């Protein structure tokens, strides 16, 4: 499952190179951008996951390059290709619609709000993508009640603005950017449109709703980070290729470039050696790994749970083959318990705990507590009364 996203992620390199040719008309910027993305920790992490974000990265870069090419050539074929790519993008991730909107804002800026043939072509592409994507959006809305108990859809507690901004800064620190750019207006407008209109709507949603469901997760801001990386690539290329040879400024920026790439390589090295990293969530380091170690120490353990499968999967992949799992909302323990040396209950519901205590006459002893929330017991051991 991980090999496909990893293979797709390799397409990021030709796509970002092509985008740099269309945007900057500079092969050198393209090479620097490829180097930046190759050592970017966030792209490396999501290239290893069975998730759609490596494909989203490729389609964001590809659609942007084709968009600029369609603006330049003004042919039906190019706009048709652009439309097809944007449709695939919104079926990959519905936040890809923000990239399409960013392209439209950029086009309006370049055309100075005047109706033109190019805007007409874009309007058709937008309408087709929106209609095609609506089938996907309606499916999401229709299926939402089926996952009403999933943790992803549960309302989040309101958090402070400072906490939310800390989250934004923390996510941005995982890529490199500089806001002191000096470039032509079309290039400047494209980069700003890609950064602003793929991030600000998500940030505003969180500010209004008081959570961090949208902008608090780095994976939702990948198009924004690509815009920042394009800016960095252009900045570094311009600074390290001064016409003056061996100037102290050039040497300084060369050191900066070495530092940026070295930091990326170091980050990727550290993450590759770590047992768990930030993209897997802090819960795995705090809870999943310690709980797995406790269960694995038993000779012949049985893990009983009715928790949602999404909570169980991260734990199950860390359990030894000797650990057997009894999962579901209508469990039948019966004589099965006699075949195991230790019985554990992982995140049992109130109903499951009552059944184990009243029907099967077990006493539940807390084994692993959430140290931050004392009443949150994650793992229980079943003991005969």
């Amino acid at each position: 499952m991980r090999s496909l996203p990893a293979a797709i992620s390799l397409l990021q390199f030709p796509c970002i190179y092509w985008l740099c040719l269309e945007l900057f008309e500079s092969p050198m910027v393209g090479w620097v951008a490829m180097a930046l993305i190759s050592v970017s920790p966030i792209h490396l992490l999501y290239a290893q996951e069975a998730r759609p974000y490596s494909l989203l990265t490729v389609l964001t870069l590809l659609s942007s390059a084709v968009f600029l090419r369609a603006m330049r050539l003004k042919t039906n074929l190019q706009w048709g290709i652009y439309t097809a790519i944007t449709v695939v993008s919104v079926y990959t991730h519905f936040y890809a619609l923000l990239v399409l909107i960013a392209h439209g804002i950029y086009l309006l800026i370049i055309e100075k709000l005047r109706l033109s043939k190019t805007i007409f072509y874009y309007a058709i592409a937008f309408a087709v993508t929106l209609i095609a994507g609506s089938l996907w959006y309606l499916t999401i809305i229709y299926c939402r009640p089926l996952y009403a108990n999933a943790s992803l859809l549960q309302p989040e507690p309101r958090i402070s603005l400072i906490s939310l901004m800390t989250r934004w800064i923390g996510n941005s620190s995982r890529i490199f950017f500089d806001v002191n750019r000096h470039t032509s207006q079309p290039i400047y407008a494209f980069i700003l449109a890609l950064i602003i209109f793929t991030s600000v709507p998500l940030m505003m949603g969180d500010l209004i709703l008081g959570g961090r469901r949208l902008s608090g997760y780095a994976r939702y801001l990948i198009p924004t980070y690509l815009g920042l990386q394009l800016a960095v690539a252009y900045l570094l290329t311009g600074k390290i290729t001064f016409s003056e040879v061996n100037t102290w400024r050039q040497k300084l920026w060369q050191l900066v470039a070495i530092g940026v790439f070295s930091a990326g390589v170091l980050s990727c090295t550290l993450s590759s050696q770590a047992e768990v990293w930030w993209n897997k969530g802090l819960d795995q380091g705090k809870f999943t790994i310690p709980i797995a170690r406790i269960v694995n120490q038993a000779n012949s353990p049985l893990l009983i749970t009715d928790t949602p499968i999404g909570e169980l999967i991260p734990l199950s992949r860390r359990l030894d083959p000797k650990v057997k799992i009894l999962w579901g909302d209508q469990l039948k323990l019966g004589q099965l318990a006699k075949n195991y040396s230790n019985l554990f209950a992982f995140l049992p519901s109130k109903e499951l705990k009552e059944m184990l205590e009243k029907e099967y006459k077990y006493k539940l002893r807390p084994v692993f507590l959430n140290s931050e929330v004392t009443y949150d017991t994650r793992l229980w051991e079943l003991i005969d009364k």
Side-chain angles (χ1 to χ4, degrees):
M1 292 178 67
R2 297 172 187 269
S3 61
L4 179 60
I8 291 174
S9 70
L10 299 178
L11 298 176
Q12 297 173 13
F13 302 113
C15 288
I16 199 169
Y17 183 81
W18 182 20
L19 176 57
C20 288
L21 291 183
E22 292 289 342
L23 184 60
F24 304 110
E25 299 181 354
S26 171
M28 185 63 179
V29 178
W31 286 108
V32 173
M34 283 197 299
L36 278 175
I37 206 171
S38 69
V39 298
S40 175
I42 191 169
H43 294 303
L44 178 66
L45 290 172
Y46 284 114
Q48 302 175 62
E49 293 199 355
R51 285 180 165 188
Y53 297 105
S54 63
L55 180 58
L56 175 63
T57 302
V58 169
L59 292 173
T60 298
L61 296 170
L62 184 60
S63 64
S64 298
V66 174
F67 171 72
L68 294 175
R69 181 177 174 82
M71 285 183 60
R72 178 167 55 85
L73 298 181
K74 296 180 173 61
T75 64
N76 295 337
L77 176 61
Q78 296 300 322
W79 283 107
I81 295 174
Y82 174 70
T83 303
I85 295 173
T86 55
V87 170
V88 175
S89 297
V90 297
Y91 272 85
T92 299
H93 200 291
F94 50 84
Y95 286 173
L97 187 63
L98 296 177
V99 178
L100 182 62
I101 294 174
H103 292 165
I105 298 297
Y106 167 73
L107 182 58
L108 290 174
I109 294 173
I110 296 301
E111 297 292 333
K112 298 180 180 178
L113 302 179
R114 296 175 299 183
L115 294 179
S116 63
K117 187 177 180 180
T118 304
I119 290 182
F120 175 74
Y121 278 131
Y122 170 80
I124 293 177
F126 185 88
V128 171
T129 303
L130 197 61
I131 293 172
S134 64
L135 300 175
W136 173 228
Y137 299 142
L138 290 174
T139 301
I140 295 175
I141 295 173
Y142 177 77
C143 293
R144 183 184 177 96
L146 301 178
Y147 301 94
N149 294 325
S151 59
L152 180 63
L153 299 178
Q154 294 297 322
E156 288 194 338
R158 298 183 68 87
I159 62 175
S160 65
L161 177 60
I162 295 178
S163 300
L164 190 58
M165 292 181 67
T166 302
R167 186 90 175 200
W168 296 341
I169 295 172
N171 289 335
S172 298
S173 67
R174 297 180 178 114
I175 52 100
F176 310 99
F177 66 97
D178 189 292
V179 297
N180 187 23
R181 295 180 298 272
H182 300 280
T183 183
S184 63
Q185 182 180 359
I187 296 175
Y188 183 80
F190 183 86
I191 292 176
L192 276 184
L194 187 60
I195 293 173
I196 293 174
F197 293 100
T198 58
S199 60
V200 171
L202 304 184
M203 294 177 178
M204 292 302 298
D206 282 340
L207 289 175
I208 294 172
L209 299 176
R212 54 177 176 82
R213 174 63 66 210
L214 304 177
S215 64
Y217 296 95
R219 58 185 181 272
Y220 296 157
L221 296 173
I222 285 179
T224 305
Y225 300 151
L226 290 173
L228 294 170
Q229 288 171 317
L230 287 172
V232 173
Y234 186 81
L235 171 71
L236 293 180
T237 303
K239 296 297 185 180
I240 64 180
T241 57
F242 285 133
S243 57
E244 300 89 356
V245 181
N246 294 327
T247 63
W248 67 270
R249 289 185 179 180
Q250 186 182 37
K251 291 184 178 298
L252 177 61
W253 278 102
Q254 288 173 348
L255 291 175
V256 171
I258 293 173
V260 169
F261 290 114
S262 299
V265 172
L266 177 61
S267 299
C268 294
T269 302
L270 291 175
S271 65
S272 67
Q273 302 300 314
E275 193 170 20
V276 64
W277 209 244
W278 62 266
N279 61 309
K280 293 300 183 183
L282 296 178
D283 281 1
Q284 288 212 30
K286 289 182 178 180
F287 311 124
T288 305
I289 295 175
I291 289 175
R293 288 172 178 165
I294 293 173
V295 177
N296 289 335
Q297 288 176 356
N299 293 328
S300 179
L302 174 67
L303 188 69
I304 305 169
T305 181
D306 59 351
T307 190
I309 193 68
E311 297 283 350
L312 181 60
I313 288 177
L315 175 65
S316 65
R317 63 183 298 268
R318 296 184 180 276
L319 296 175
D320 293 341
K322 67 180 180 180
V323 181
K324 304 304 178 183
I325 299 175
L326 185 62
W327 174 78
D329 56 358
Q330 294 182 346
L331 300 178
K332 299 296 183 182
L333 191 55
Q335 299 297 317
L336 186 65
K338 297 181 180 180
N339 300 327
Y340 300 94
S341 61
N342 298 85
L343 303 180
F344 296 97
F346 172 65
L347 288 177
S349 65
K350 180 180 178 181
E351 293 75 15
L352 178 57
K353 287 195 291 185
E354 290 179 353
M355 182 184 71
L356 292 173
E357 290 176 335
K358 296 179 180 179
E359 182 176 346
Y360 293 104
K361 309 302 180 182
Y362 283 109
K363 179 181 179 182
L364 272 65
R365 180 176 67 87
V367 177
F368 188 89
L369 300 173
N370 180 354
S371 59
E372 298 175 357
V373 184
T374 55
Y375 58 82
D376 181 14
T377 303
R378 301 263 169 151
L379 185 68
W380 305 75
E381 186 174 12
L382 277 59
I383 303 174
D384 292 325
K385 290 184 178 180

